[in-house]
């Protein structure tokens, strides 16, 4: 079988950082990174790399950065069997979710990975993460890549990107996929759970690079006042709000809060409901405290992570969907991001 061609895209993050004289971690040059894994030169895949001119800490990731990544992938799409993106872990779940929506009909893997400790440190988790991510990206069956979606690989597990969130700033296994099982486990053997993978029926990549930034997230808390919600709703040009509610999608019944949300919906601002709970989903109508939300037209985000909900809204609003079509698409699983 022909060796896989893999493109590593280095964007920055702890994996490639070194300590400055003042002790602060700063991004450094990609060539240095490869020096720490000489093994890659003899890897049973053809590996090429692309490095961002100015590597970033992923806290600086934004929609323009995602567009840049999409362009690099689409320009190189035909020449590679898979892509590994080295990325800071802080916003990796946002980037993975955004790329899931921006890259439609993927037939090749796009695997994001990084590390909690810089590659230059003896105990780094980066070396194993990069090597396993490349191995997973290079896997083929009948000459075709086995994985064909955007994923995150971290500490022995491969996850669907738009199902993940970073839950630990300490542990090597920094990510979880609370509402969808992992796609592969890496131990002595690599086990890919093929029945959990996404597959596109179409083999031409479509890229979407218009993302709407006119979005806000409101996290509910006991004591939240309608004036807080009003202040956000009155942001000029706002197109969508994600509300992070309690439990299975419950919010205070305070009539002023409900009136504020209704005012937003009446003014064509889409309101999407996701839960603050890590596990489980929104079920509007289960309790009285969510029935009103349903009645005024709040859309249920099911079990979407904040990262998936935000980037899905950016993507759909960027495509200029509105009204019932937008509501319908938000409730459907487009890239495996929710359980319908
Ligand atoms: N601050 C870093 C980043 O996200 C953390 C990491 O890479 O793990 O870029």
């Amino acid at each position: 079988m022909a060796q896989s061609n893999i493109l590593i895209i280095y964007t920055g993050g702890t994996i490639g950082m070194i300590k400055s004289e003042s002790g602060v971690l700063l991004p450094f040059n990609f060539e240095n990174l490869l020096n720490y894994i000489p093994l890659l030169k003899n890897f049973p895949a053809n590996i090429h790399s692309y490095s961002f001119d100015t590597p970033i800490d992923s806290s600086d990731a934004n929609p323009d950065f995602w567009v840049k990544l999409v362009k690099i992938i689409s320009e190189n799409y035909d020449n590679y069997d898979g892509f590994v993106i080295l990325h800071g872990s802080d916003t990796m779940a946002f980037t993975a979710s955004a790329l899931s929506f921006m890259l439609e009909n993927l037939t090749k893997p796009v695997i994001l990975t990084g590390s909690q400790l810089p590659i230059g440190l003896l105990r780094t988790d980066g070396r194993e993460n990069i090597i396993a991510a490349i191995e997973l990206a290079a896997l083929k069956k009948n000459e075709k890549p086995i994985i064909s979606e955007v994923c995150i690989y971290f500490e022995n597990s491969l996850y669907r990107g738009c199902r993940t969130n970073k839950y630990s700033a300490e542990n090597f296994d920094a990510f979880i996929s609370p509402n969808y099982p992992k796609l592969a486990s890496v131990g002595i053997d690599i086990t890919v759970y093929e029945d959990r993978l996404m597959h596109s029926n179409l083999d031409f990549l479509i890229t979407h690079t218009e993302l709407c930034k006119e979005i806000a997230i409101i996290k509910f808390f006991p004591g939240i006042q309608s004036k807080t919600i009003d202040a956000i709703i009155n942001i000029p040009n706002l197109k969508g709000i994600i509300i992070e509610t309690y439990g299975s999608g419950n919010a205070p019944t305070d009539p002023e809060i409900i009136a504020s949300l209704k005012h937003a919906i009446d003014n064509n601002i889409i309101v999407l409901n996701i839960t603050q709970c890590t596990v489980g989903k929104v079920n509007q109508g289960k309790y009285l405290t969510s029935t009103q939300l349903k009645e005024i037209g709040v859309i249920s985000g099911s079990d979407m992570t904040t990262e998936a909900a935000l980037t899905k809204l950016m993507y759909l609003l960027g495509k200029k969907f509105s009204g019932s079509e937008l509501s319908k698409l938000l409730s459907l699983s487009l890239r495996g991001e929710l359980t319908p």
Side-chain angles (χ1 to χ4, degrees), residues 158-172:
L158 184 77
Y159 304 106
R160 172 163 303 152
C162 55
R163 286 289 195 159
T164 55
N165 85 299
K166 181 176 178 181
Y167 86 107
S168 176
E170 294 259 338
N171 300 346
F172 282 155

Side-chain angles (χ1 to χ4, degrees), residues 12-15 17 56-59 87-91 115-116 154 166:
T14 297
I15 195 159
M17 290 187 183
I56 60 162
D57 183 299
S58 76
S59 303
H87 191 290
S89 62
D90 287 349
T91 63
S115 67
Q116 294 280 60
F154 236 83
K166 181 176 178 181

